[in-house]
Amino acid sequence: MFFSLLGTNGFAKENHNSQEFKQELAQLKYDLYKYLNDSNTDDLMRFELPTTDSVNIIINEFCSKYESAIQDYQVGIMESYEKKFIFSEQDYEIEDVEITVFSEYKDQLNSGLMRLMLLDPLSYANTIITVFGAQKNSTQEFALESVKDRIANPKIFTKHIDKKNWQLTIDKYYKVYILNYNISTNEMNLIKMLNRN
């Protein structure tokens, strides 16, 4: 049943046009509502759907068909924030951290659900920052940070390191998060946090 959906949405033909890809991605995400209702609730709450679940099958099919378009999309997002990042580290206390949020879920990184969740580099970075904040702060501090993030917007800067690697900086004024991102492996690490003095 779900394979017929792939044909009707045009997933079968790869298209590298950025706007068309974004439309296909939006359509895919909308169509998933129909299939998420059939997924096991406990599995869904843990983001651990079995490989045989129709949601994973549909997303994996989409990602396989649009693999190079996805990388173009990710590079496009990173390039759109590529500008000179000017700040003085003397204004900050530097905290070196090494956190790969999904390191314990290496096997699941290639599952359809995780591939979709981590497709957008900024969403990926915010997920890592959120998990880091949840681990580091009290419940009240974490909730307060979440409220601030709904009201204010960070400055975002990227720097192209080499063919595969980027540095992503998310400046939230009092806290600056610096992450490394490897587009070819889709791995992202929080490597440094700066706290404003």
Side-chain angles (χ1 to χ4, degrees):
M1 169 71 181
F2 40 81
F3 286 110
S4 62
L5 173 70
L6 301 178
T8 60
N9 282 339
F11 295 171
K13 76 172 186 175
E14 185 167 358
N15 190 322
H16 296 277
N17 178 294
S18 177
Q19 192 56 40
E20 287 183 34
F21 170 73
K22 288 176 188 175
Q23 290 171 351
E24 291 290 341
L25 179 60
Q27 184 63 48
L28 167 76
K29 288 184 174 184
Y30 179 77
D31 289 339
L32 286 174
Y33 277 117
K34 294 182 271 190
Y35 298 96
L36 288 167
N37 279 344
D38 296 330
S39 298
N40 178 281
T41 303
D42 292 335
D43 291 343
L44 193 56
M45 294 296 286
R46 290 190 311 267
F47 297 100
E48 294 177 9
L49 297 177
T51 55
T52 55
D53 189 286
S54 58
V55 170
N56 268 336
I57 292 171
I58 289 168
I59 296 169
N60 280 326
E61 176 73 14
F62 178 87
C63 289
S64 294
K65 293 293 179 187
Y66 288 96
E67 188 173 346
S68 62
I70 288 170
Q71 284 210 352
D72 290 346
Y73 171 74
Q74 292 169 327
V75 168
I77 290 171
M78 297 303 281
E79 285 177 344
S80 71
Y81 290 98
E82 194 171 15
K83 45 189 148 271
K84 193 167 185 177
F85 180 42
I86 302 171
F87 72 99
S88 172
E89 287 198 2
Q90 69 185 16
D91 296 334
Y92 296 90
E93 178 186 319
I94 299 171
E95 183 178 340
D96 288 324
V97 294
E98 184 63 44
I99 178 170
T100 309
V101 171
F102 300 108
S103 58
E104 67 228 61
Y105 303 110
K106 266 309 195 202
D107 296 339
Q108 293 156 21
L109 267 178
N110 291 321
S111 76
L113 192 58
M114 289 299 267
R115 287 171 84 181
L116 183 65
M117 289 174 59
L118 306 181
L119 193 141
D120 182 321
L122 299 182
S123 295
Y124 194 170
N126 282 320
T127 300
I128 290 174
I129 291 167
T130 299
V131 171
F132 177 70
Q135 292 172 350
K136 188 174 170 53
N137 299 316
S138 69
T139 305
Q140 187 173 8
E141 289 170 327
F142 178 67
L144 183 57
E145 285 299 313
S146 296
V147 169
K148 289 177 184 176
D149 285 340
R150 295 289 181 260
I151 298 169
N153 280 323
K155 290 182 180 179
I156 298 169
F157 307 89
T158 60
K159 184 166 123 185
H160 200 186
I161 307 298
D162 58 38
K163 188 175 179 182
K164 299 175 183 177
N165 293 288
W166 290 78
Q167 181 176 291
L168 174 60
T169 301
I170 298 179
D171 178 0
K172 296 186 178 186
Y173 187 75
Y174 285 107
K175 294 179 182 176
V176 177
Y177 300 90
I178 300 174
L179 305 100
N180 280 346
Y181 178 44
N182 184 316
I183 285 183
S184 66
T185 62
N186 202 32
E187 290 185 42
M188 189 179 289
N189 301 306
L190 175 62
I191 57 164
K192 191 186 287 187
M193 186 178 80
L194 311 178
N195 293 299
R196 187 177 284 272
N197 294 328

